[in-house]
Amino acid sequence: MVLNCYPQCPEPDLTLGMPSHSDYGFLTILLQDEAEGLQVLHEGKWITVKPLSNSFVVNVGDHLEIFSNGRYKSVLHRVLVNPSKLRVSVASLHSLPFDAIVRPSTKLLNEANPRRYKDTDFGSFVDYISTCDSKEKSFLESRKLS
Ligand SMILES: O=C(O)CCC(=O)C(=O)O
Ligand SMILES: [Fe+2]
């Protein structure tokens, strides 16, 4: 579980609370407070996820995209800072043990829907983020079969 705290920022155009990323893992269940900040990338545009009281935001993560062979998309999201309010969110990250291998479910694969992702485990994620190359591709992009 991750507790994020974004202090109010007088110049919100100069920074981000959290840069654009997708979540590693299967599902993230997120509780945000009433201060706006979370945005998801939808059809090339950043859309603010309006806080809704007594509700959770559920994010599909990279593993679910891989397991579903791309049927469910791991959405890119980011957090803006708020000019007047401190913002707090609680993210509950749901995934498999570090040594488990995630791959597209064989039940979903056939000639019309061939496998689109490589086998993936925590080691491949660590290898990816620890290389010094410039990161033009996301980790998820690096797991796609061409
Ligand atoms: O603070 C938020 O609303 C999102 C946090 C987030 O994306 C994360 O912890 O992965
Ligand atoms: Fe996230």
Side-chain angles (χ1 to χ4, degrees):
M1 193 172 272
V2 182
L3 179 66
N4 301 298
C5 177
Y6 310 92
Q8 68 193 78
C9 174
E11 298 197 79
D13 296 337
L14 298 183
T15 190
L16 283 170
M18 196 179 281
S20 167
H21 66 282
S22 63
D23 291 346
Y24 179 83
F26 260 88
L27 282 177
T28 304
I29 300 177
L30 182 83
L31 182 66
Q32 46 172 353
D33 67 12
E34 77 288 346
E36 280 183 9
L38 177 63
Q39 294 189 318
V40 295
L41 191 62
H42 179 65
E43 296 177 351
K45 288 194 182 138
W46 287 106
I47 310 289
T48 297
V49 181
K50 297 269 182 210
L52 207 58
S53 57
N54 301 317
S55 62
F56 295 108
V57 176
V58 181
N59 263 349
V60 167
D62 294 351
H63 284 171
L64 184 49
E65 177 164 334
I66 293 169
F67 184 68
S68 71
N69 201 37
R71 184 179 291 193
Y72 296 107
K73 299 292 182 205
S74 177
V75 71
L76 278 177
H77 53 285
R78 67 180 187 180
V79 182
L80 303 184
V81 281
N82 196 297
S84 56
K85 288 183 203 157
L86 175 143
R87 178 172 183 275
V88 170
S89 70
V90 184
S92 177
L93 311 163
H94 298 267
S95 197
L96 298 172
F98 286 158
D99 55 355
I101 293 178
V102 181
R103 58 172 67 96
S105 168
T106 49
K107 290 182 186 164
L108 298 175
L109 304 181
N110 53 43
E111 255 175 54
N113 190 21
R115 179 180 172 132
R116 296 199 174 92
Y117 299 84
K118 301 175 198 171
D119 281 8
T120 299
D121 63 1
F122 190 64
S124 54
F125 178 63
V126 172
D127 286 349
Y128 182 80
I129 57 172
S130 58
T131 57
C132 302
D133 308 345
S134 73
K135 292 287 182 278
E136 280 164 14
K137 284 208 298 185
S138 68
F139 172 66
L140 186 60
E141 287 299 317
S142 79
R143 306 315 296 163
K144 288 184 181 167
L145 294 164
S146 46

